[in-house]
Amino acid sequence: MGLSFFWSVSHDPTKFTRSATAFPIHPFYLFDGATMLRDISPQNLFMGILAAFVGSASSFAVVLQGLGAVGATPDQAASGLMALSVAMGLCSIYLSLRTRMPISIAWSTPGAALLATSGAIDGGFAVAVGAFIICAILIIICGIWKPLGRAVAAIPAPLANAMLAGVLLGLCLAPIKAVAFNPLLGLPIVIAWLVVGRINRLFAVPAALLAFIIVMVVGVDFPENTLGSLGGAIVPPVEFVMPEFTLAGLVGIALPLFIVTMASQNIPGTAVLRANNYDTPPGPLFAVTGFFSLLAAPFGGHAVNLAAIIAALCAGEDAHPDPKKRYWAAAFGGVFYILFGLLAGLVTAFVSLAPSILIEAVAGLALIGAFSGSVVAAFKDDDAREAAAVTFLVTAAGLSFFGVAGAFWGLLAGGLIYFLTHLRKDKTG
């Protein structure tokens, strides 16, 4: 059963449109190499490189932090980072060339942040990997079975955003903690983010990452065998983890990871495509991202999904003046994602030499925009504000009962308040 299965169940490939003016795409165009090669330009090559750099540099620290928090060893975290990078690279290439639309893929940054606040789970990383597999299966089902998609859409947006804000709060405090830990190490990272962000927000986090590297080289004492250990980490890391499936993994990781990935990544990703006049049924896209998530999960990857910010780069005019040719920007981005994944061992080995609070600071700076957006969305509705506040507070508190992390309990508590509030209003009138 090939990937074409996910397409055939939901739509006719000849009905895709890529701009306000519809034009058909024949399903066999994928093999028309001469025509597709003529669509390549230096402009979409550059934008693909930029998209891959921004997508990787701005949030890989969050991924490493999240995987480590749920029990991954450094080697397993490196394998997970590699698996995610390769999976989203291949998925970007496949979807972009298959549809001739700039469909960009990213790892689930909110999902990684969720893992970072979940903490170790009973059974260790094997249970987390089992949860990743369940999450991927749920995403596939959501793409091909409409009732589940409707159920996800029925989760009140204020509660989903409040849960995400609660998840992100702890990491967003890390830059402040880093400055308190050592101003000479923490301040340059924050200042670089602040100054460059006032000039171009797109490069704020990469600038913070560059400052982190400089701080590492100048201000951190490395062990004598550092160069040797880094040289040994050049080999791409691949570590298979035999999954274990538990109720705590399902409730504490799989379901919250599924919800934040769908609500914070996949659904906004489709909105970005529509905003740029690329019209495509979302279901098949969700199913394909779930399939690639399933491939990455046994090697430590938590989830890949439709990108939002990166999608805006590849789908905009800067990628190419002709909307029909912008798909190569996303495809090139996929190629460079794969190259980054092959260096995941080296990246992880270098990061592991730093005080953990510094990499947490970079991760926190990468998530401030997502945190502010989720807070605004969570509390803008008067009718849901109290329920959103309860969801946010319970999630941010990081409570854990029966081995189940706070994100689930936050959503459950907020959902109860939301239900009682609307039940009382229905009775009164």
Side-chain angles (χ1 to χ4, degrees):
M1 179 171 59
L3 288 179
S4 60
F5 165 78
F6 295 119
W7 236 256
S8 62
V9 295
S10 297
H11 78 286
D12 177 358
T14 63
K15 292 182 179 178
F16 270 109
T17 59
R18 290 174 290 178
S19 67
T21 303
F23 45 91
I25 298 179
H26 193 278
F28 295 106
Y29 274 9
L30 180 60
F31 304 102
D32 187 2
T35 300
M36 297 182 73
L37 289 175
R38 286 196 294 268
D39 290 342
I40 296 177
S41 72
Q43 196 170 358
N44 49 43
L45 172 61
F46 170 77
M47 191 55 64
I49 296 173
L50 177 62
F53 172 74
V54 172
S56 300
S58 63
S59 57
F60 82 87
V62 187
V63 174
L64 292 179
Q65 188 72 20
L67 295 177
V70 291
T73 65
D75 288 343
Q76 289 171 335
S79 177
L81 185 64
M82 181 276 299
L84 288 170
S85 299
V86 172
M88 65 189 190
L90 292 175
C91 192
S92 292
I93 294 169
Y94 171 75
L95 286 176
S96 297
L97 299 185
R98 175 66 176 79
T99 65
R100 300 221 192 160
M101 299 186 195
I103 299 175
S104 300
I105 304 298
W107 48 50
S108 176
T109 302
L114 169 72
L115 299 180
T117 59
S118 296
I121 188 169
D122 291 341
F125 192 54
V127 172
V129 168
F132 300 164
I133 291 174
I134 294 173
C135 175
I137 293 172
L138 289 174
I139 294 173
I140 294 173
I141 296 173
C142 190
I144 62 180
W145 190 48
K146 291 183 179 180
L148 181 57
R150 286 195 292 266
V152 174
I155 297 174
L159 302 192
N161 281 288
M163 182 184 72
L164 179 59
V167 163
L168 298 179
L169 177 62
L171 278 175
C172 288
L173 293 174
I176 303 170
K177 295 179 180 178
V179 173
F181 168 76
N182 189 325
L184 293 178
L185 298 180
L187 269 177
I189 298 173
V190 176
I191 291 173
W193 174 82
L194 183 64
V195 172
V196 175
R198 298 320 95 190
I199 300 170
N200 189 324
R201 292 180 60 189
L202 191 64
F203 292 100
V205 176
L209 179 61
L210 179 61
F212 164 78
I213 295 172
I214 295 173
V215 163
M216 283 278 293
V217 173
V218 175
V220 175
D221 293 329
F222 295 128
E224 292 183 1
N225 63 341
T226 296
L227 291 178
S229 63
L230 291 178
I234 292 177
V235 178
V238 179
E239 185 160 335
F240 179 84
V241 179
M242 183 61 67
E244 295 181 16
F245 301 94
T246 67
L247 181 60
L250 168 66
V251 178
I253 294 181
L255 292 180
L257 178 61
F258 168 68
I259 291 171
V260 299
T261 298
M262 292 299 300
S264 303
Q265 296 281 148
N266 275 336
I267 293 175
T270 60
V272 170
L273 287 172
R274 287 196 301 270
N276 286 275
N277 297 316
Y278 293 93
D279 184 19
T280 172
L285 301 182
F286 297 161
V288 173
T289 62
F291 177 81
F292 279 95
S293 295
L294 188 60
L295 295 180
F299 302 97
H302 64 288
V304 300
N305 44 246
L306 297 177
I309 296 174
I310 304 305
L313 290 176
C314 294
E317 291 185 3
D318 289 339
H320 200 284
D322 186 350
K324 303 179 202 176
K325 299 180 180 180
R326 293 174 190 166
Y327 65 95
W328 272 112
F332 281 129
V335 172
F336 286 96
Y337 276 141
I338 294 172
L339 294 177
F340 174 80
L342 297 179
L343 297 174
L346 181 62
V347 170
T348 306
F350 179 76
V351 167
S352 67
L353 298 173
S356 60
I357 189 62
L358 295 185
I359 196 64
E360 289 176 27
V362 177
L365 292 171
L367 293 168
I368 286 178
F371 173 73
S372 61
S374 60
V375 168
V376 170
F379 295 106
K380 69 179 181 180
D381 186 350
D382 291 342
D383 292 338
R385 191 165 294 163
E386 185 179 18
V390 170
T391 302
F392 171 75
L393 292 172
V394 174
T395 302
L399 299 177
S400 179
F401 297 107
F402 310 110
V404 178
F408 172 80
W409 300 115
L411 193 61
L412 187 64
L416 178 61
I417 299 298
Y418 186 88
F419 172 76
L420 293 176
T421 299
H422 284 74
L423 181 65
R424 182 174 66 248
K425 288 190 175 184
D426 289 342
K427 288 183 177 180
T428 58

